[in-house]
């Protein structure tokens, strides 16, 4: 029984020592840095086809087995964050016990001999008696230091004072902020999600497609795209695209807002970003049919698959489909509609109708009937990036606490002061000395000012 208890204690001790190790901290930080670089080099959450095309089947299987394509949600990345969190907590606890005795002691220890041995102390003499100097010096010291006490010495007395004892906790405040950042990251990695939704104008969705798994994530509310507008530069490049979205719950409109890139809509902790857009197949295409012989033109709006009897007994025409780009003799014709013309008593003929080149059919087919596209109804869908990170408030809290901790750590210090007055013949001999946990040059300057105010 004794052996089991001893073995258990040894194991716990070794485990505690392992997590209290700075070497472990450095190793974990380097591992996180290396894996983060890897996650930057390898794009995250792309489609499987994209990764297969980039890396081939063999490396795709290896990288996929380690979840490299969604590494920030992988078990091993979360394990690194968890171990680092435990490591920081144990390191802080391990070193905090000694600090506790300094910060929360009721009567701090002072050793006048340590102040006497300081090289940057100030010394001078005064003709007034020690008791007169005590009445003068105590208020001077009290103005700058919150804690003070007076102790008798063999040949006089000492005024001990200190302030900023609590500032030694600054580094632990930074530790707390790091712990909050890690916990917030873990919460976001485990419980958060990122996906997308493409919503045609006027339509509503209540689910999104997750980036990492491709699975469907149902939302607690619906998103309706009321309107989508896009503006272009003269070069044809989009300058701005804007979606007007409405949030619906139980059939009622809760919120309506326009969103653009970098100006998301946030609702119930879910962020909705304007990410992309796309053009939907047109419902109607306005076509022009021109008889080359008579010069007569006929205009007709058709939908895909709708058959049209061309006036003048010239046959029938039907739109079969369209492409956003169409290669022809090494050139991209851009958006192009494809149709079939069936002349009366003739065989069906495939007709190519590029939107940008209305004279294409005239010049290529050289037929009596010329077909061209005049216009079509432009319909868009808005592409939304939808994310949820329930750990973001914890992360923000960590950032705020880190700023406070850094300010305390780098700009504030624990300062201790000793003013010793001793009888020296008919005069009084005064020594002013002090220490600071940081900024010792600043403390030295302060000692000189205090000595000057005391009449040096």
């Amino acid at each position: 029984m004794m052996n089991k208890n001893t073995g258990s204690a040894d194991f716990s001790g070794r485990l505690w020592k392992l997590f209290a190790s700075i070497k472990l901290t450095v190793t974990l930080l380097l591992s996180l840095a290396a894996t983060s670089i890897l996650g930057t080099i390898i794009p995250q959450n792309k489609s499987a086809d994209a990764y297969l095309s980039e890396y081939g089947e063999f490396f795709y299987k290896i990288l996929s087995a380690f979840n490299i394509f969604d590494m920030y949600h992988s078990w091993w990345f979360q394990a690194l964050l968890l171990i680092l969190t435990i490591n920081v907590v144990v390191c802080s606890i391990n070193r905090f016990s000694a600090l506790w005795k300094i910060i929360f002691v009721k009567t701090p220890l002072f050793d006048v001999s340590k102040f006497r041995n300081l090289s940057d102390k100030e010394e001078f003499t005064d003709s007034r008696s020690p008791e007169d100097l005590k009445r003068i010096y105590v208020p001077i010291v009290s103005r700058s230091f919150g804690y003070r006490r007076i102790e008798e010495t063999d040949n006089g007395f000492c005024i001990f004072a200190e302030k900023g004892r609590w500032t030694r906790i600054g580094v632990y405040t930074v530790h707390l902020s790091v712990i909050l950042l890690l916990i917030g990251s873990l919460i976001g990695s485990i419980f958060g999600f990122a996906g997308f939704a493409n919503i045609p104008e006027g339509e509503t969705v209540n689910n999104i497609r997750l980036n990492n798994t491709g699975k469907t994530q149902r939302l607690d509310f619906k998103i309706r795209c009321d309107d989508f507008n896009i503006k272009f530069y003269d070069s044809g490049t989009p300058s701005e695209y804007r979606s007007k979205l409405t949030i619906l719950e139980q059939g009622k409109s809760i919120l309506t807002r326009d969103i653009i890139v970098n100006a998301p809509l946030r609702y119930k902790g879910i962020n909705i970003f304007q990410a992309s857009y796309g053009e939907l197949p047109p419902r109607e295409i306005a076509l022009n049919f021109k008889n080359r012989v008579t010069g007569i033109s006929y205009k007709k709006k058709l939908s895909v698959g709708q058959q049209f009897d061309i006036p003048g007994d010239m046959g029938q025409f039907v739109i079969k489909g369209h492409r956003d780009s169409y290669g022809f003799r090494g050139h991209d014709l851009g958006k192009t509609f494809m149709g079939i013309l069936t002349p009366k008593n003739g065989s069906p003929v495939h007709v190519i109708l590029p939107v940008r080149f209305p004279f294409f059919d005239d010049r290529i087919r050289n037929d009596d009937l010329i077909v061209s596209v005049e216009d079509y109804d432009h319909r868009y869908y808005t592409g939304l990036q939808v994310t949820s990170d329930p750990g973001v408030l914890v992360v923000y809290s960590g950032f705020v606490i880190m700023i406070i901790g850094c300010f305390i750590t780098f700009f504030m210090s624990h300062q201790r002061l000793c003013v010793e007055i001793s009888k020296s013949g008919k005069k009084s001999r005064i020594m002013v000395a002090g220490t600071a946990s940081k900024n010792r040059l600043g403390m030295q300057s302060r000692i000189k000012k205090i000595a000057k105010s005391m009449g040096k």
Side-chain angles (χ1 to χ4, degrees):
M1 191 67 178
M2 289 291 291
N3 290 336
K4 286 184 177 179
N5 291 336
T6 303
S8 177
D10 288 345
F11 176 75
S12 300
R14 288 197 297 271
L15 192 62
W16 183 269
K17 189 176 180 181
L18 171 66
F19 280 107
S21 168
I22 297 298
K23 290 181 180 177
L24 178 63
T25 309
V26 174
T27 303
L28 289 169
L29 289 174
L30 290 176
S31 300
L32 286 170
T35 51
S36 296
I37 292 172
L38 184 65
T40 304
I41 295 173
I42 299 177
Q44 301 290 292
N45 297 314
K46 294 179 72 175
S47 67
D49 291 339
Y51 289 123
L52 280 168
S53 174
E54 182 73 20
Y55 302 105
E57 186 175 355
F58 177 73
F59 287 107
Y60 170 77
K61 287 182 177 178
I62 293 176
L63 296 173
S64 183
F66 289 97
N67 209 6
I68 298 296
F69 303 131
D70 186 25
M71 54 175 287
Y72 299 114
H73 292 90
S74 63
W75 66 267
W76 54 266
F77 192 83
Q78 293 169 352
L80 284 174
L81 292 178
L82 180 61
I83 295 171
L84 181 60
T85 304
I86 296 172
N87 175 236
V88 175
V89 170
V90 172
C91 282
S92 300
I93 294 173
N94 210 37
R95 290 159 178 78
F96 192 74
S97 57
L99 188 64
W100 181 274
K101 296 175 183 176
I102 297 175
I103 297 176
F104 298 101
V105 64
K106 288 184 178 179
T107 306
L109 296 175
F110 280 99
D111 185 354
V112 67
S113 62
K114 292 183 178 178
F115 291 94
R116 289 171 182 162
N117 293 330
L118 293 175
S119 59
D120 53 357
K121 60 182 179 293
E122 296 289 324
E123 293 181 289
F124 56 96
T125 58
D126 194 294
S127 58
R128 291 169 288 187
S129 68
E131 288 303 318
D132 289 339
L133 293 176
K134 181 192 289 186
R135 287 194 294 273
I136 298 169
Y137 289 173
V138 168
I140 293 175
V141 173
S142 299
R143 280 201 296 268
S144 302
F145 292 84
Y147 174 86
R148 66 163 177 79
R149 75 169 186 265
I150 299 172
E151 289 189 4
E152 300 294 331
T153 62
D154 294 340
N155 198 24
F157 62 90
C158 284
I159 304 173
F160 290 114
E162 71 170 5
K163 72 173 185 178
R165 198 189 310 163
W166 63 273
T167 61
R168 291 181 179 270
I169 208 169
V171 66
Y172 293 93
T173 307
V174 176
H175 284 193
L176 175 62
S177 70
V178 173
I179 292 169
L180 289 176
L181 290 175
L182 292 171
I183 291 175
S185 301
L186 275 171
I187 293 173
S189 177
I190 296 171
F191 301 105
F193 63 80
F196 64 93
N198 296 329
I199 311 177
E201 289 177 275
E203 296 191 14
T204 304
V205 302
N206 66 340
N207 53 59
I208 62 170
R209 185 76 64 184
L210 295 178
N211 292 335
N212 53 353
T213 63
K215 294 181 179 177
T216 299
Q217 172 79 32
R218 187 178 180 84
L219 303 175
D220 295 334
F221 53 87
K222 295 181 179 179
I223 308 171
R224 184 178 68 209
C225 176
D226 296 325
D227 192 21
F228 179 82
N229 288 300
I230 183 168
K231 296 178 181 177
F232 295 92
Y233 294 111
D234 294 338
S235 62
T237 306
S239 62
E240 180 188 272
Y241 35 105
R242 176 186 297 268
S243 298
K244 186 175 185 178
L245 303 179
T246 295
I247 302 297
L248 301 144
E249 282 199 76
Q250 298 179 348
K252 296 181 180 178
S253 298
I254 304 299
L255 175 67
T256 298
R257 184 172 298 170
D258 287 3
I259 66 167
I260 57 176
V261 175
N262 296 328
L265 184 156
R266 293 186 172 88
Y267 184 70
K268 286 189 172 180
I270 293 178
N271 307 305
I272 304 172
F273 295 89
Q274 179 69 71
S276 63
Y277 71 96
E279 193 167 359
L280 294 166
R283 292 192 181 97
E284 287 187 328
I285 306 99
L287 299 175
N288 184 56
F289 299 88
K290 181 178 179 181
N291 190 317
R292 187 192 300 274
V293 178
T294 63
I296 299 174
S297 295
Y298 306 97
K299 300 184 185 302
K300 179 64 178 179
K301 288 184 177 179
L302 295 178
S303 57
V304 175
Q306 180 183 356
Q307 184 170 291
F308 172 56
D309 294 326
I310 306 169
D313 208 18
M314 299 189 71
Q316 297 174 327
F317 186 83
V318 61
I319 292 287
K320 302 300 291 184
H322 84 283
R323 296 180 188 173
D324 291 331
S325 63
Y326 192 97
F328 182 79
R329 297 177 183 174
H331 299 278
D332 183 9
L333 301 179
K335 194 174 190 67
T336 302
F337 291 90
M338 290 79 70
I340 294 179
L341 173 65
T342 307
K344 187 177 180 181
N345 302 323
S347 301
V349 178
H350 289 274
V351 180
I352 301 170
L353 302 172
V355 176
R356 287 192 297 162
F357 305 102
F359 301 106
F360 186 85
D361 186 49
D362 180 18
R363 296 174 182 174
I364 296 298
R365 251 182 352 102
N366 196 25
D367 189 68
D368 288 344
L369 181 67
I370 305 167
V371 187
S372 62
V373 175
E374 289 206 329
D375 199 5
Y376 63 92
D377 59 336
H378 298 264
R379 299 173 60 232
Y380 293 96
Y381 67 82
T382 181
L384 305 177
Q385 184 77 21
V386 183
T387 65
S388 172
D389 187 352
V392 70
L393 287 179
V394 181
V395 172
Y396 287 164
S397 302
F399 277 125
V400 173
I401 293 175
M402 178 173 283
I403 292 170
I404 295 172
C406 288
F407 183 83
I408 295 171
T409 302
F410 293 109
F411 298 101
M412 304 181 80
S413 63
H414 178 198
Q415 298 177 358
R416 309 179 84 199
L417 177 74
C418 174
V419 179
E420 183 180 22
I421 299 99
S422 56
K423 191 72 177 175
S424 177
K426 294 182 179 180
K427 296 184 178 180
S428 297
R429 180 176 172 276
I430 300 101
M431 179 202 72
V432 183
T435 61
S437 58
K438 292 183 289 290
N439 191 16
R440 294 183 179 178
L441 287 176
M443 187 62 190
Q444 188 177 350
S445 175
R446 184 162 201 167
I447 292 298
K448 289 181 178 178
K449 288 181 180 178
I450 292 173
K452 188 177 181 180
S453 67
M454 289 178 171
K456 180 182 177 182

